[in-house]
Amino acid sequence: MILKTLCVPTSLDGGIARALCSEGGESPLELLPNLLELQYSDVRRTGNAFSSFMIEREAAGKPLSLTSSSSVITSSSGDSYIDLNNFLQYHPRGNLTVHCSWVMTREGPSNAVIHTATAMYRGAQVGQGMGVSSSAAKRVAAERVLAAFMAYGVPEP
């Protein structure tokens, strides 16, 4: 049997992460050599649990993607802007928030301003949202970016 996707329930993340750590010089490719993806029930809560294993796999030329096993993204903070920040801050490849920026614009008369927030990642537009305030526009854009990053992964450099 060839295992390509490993689904990790939240309750077992620490134990499985420890089991995947290479000890005694064994290559990370010897552990589940055909593995392509780790699915985690709440990718934003992984912290650094699997980062060592993922970094070793990447260095060995067999990178893994970390994705959410839930097709419905539930907000842990209730604010998609904070959730996106947390997701990027605790990403297995390190703190990716340093590569993010926002471009804010506003249009319309002073009594009916529409704000637009454009999320940028490594200089490329990755999401956009509109709202009656700049924070509302950022939340809409952040929700879209977080959904895309969780579905397709964070772009590589």
Side-chain angles (χ1 to χ4, degrees):
M1 181 168 94
I2 296 175
L3 180 66
K4 293 186 177 186
T5 301
L6 178 62
C7 299
V8 181
T10 305
S11 60
L12 297 177
D13 65 346
I16 291 176
R18 282 188 296 281
L20 293 176
C21 289
S22 61
E23 293 180 9
E26 62 188 330
S27 164
L29 294 179
E30 293 174 23
L31 298 167
L32 306 168
N34 297 307
L35 188 64
L36 300 174
E37 175 183 35
L38 276 173
Q39 282 189 353
Y40 196 79
S41 59
D42 187 353
V43 111
R44 291 163 292 202
R45 291 187 50 216
T46 60
N48 294 320
F50 298 101
S51 61
S52 295
F53 180 68
M54 293 184 74
I55 289 168
E56 288 176 15
R57 289 287 300 235
E58 192 166 332
K62 288 280 199 167
L64 297 175
S65 60
L66 180 66
T67 60
S68 172
S69 60
S70 171
S71 60
V72 178
I73 298 171
T74 57
S75 173
S76 61
S77 73
D79 185 329
S80 56
Y81 179 76
I82 292 171
D83 291 341
L84 175 61
N85 180 73
N86 292 342
F87 174 80
L88 293 171
Q89 187 174 4
Y90 298 107
H91 195 274
R93 292 194 331 242
N95 183 352
L96 302 180
T97 59
V98 297
H99 305 296
C100 293
S101 61
W102 294 93
V103 176
M104 303 299 297
T105 59
R106 48 187 280 166
E107 294 181 19
S110 59
N111 64 340
V113 174
I114 298 295
H115 296 265
T116 302
T118 303
M120 308 294 287
Y121 181 77
R122 294 188 183 271
Q125 179 178 328
V126 290
Q128 192 171 62
M130 297 172 72
V132 296
S133 67
S134 59
S135 60
K138 273 187 178 180
R139 279 194 301 276
V140 170
E143 184 175 336
R144 291 175 179 166
V145 172
L146 182 58
F149 282 178
M150 290 181 76
Y152 305 109
V154 179
E156 295 284 336

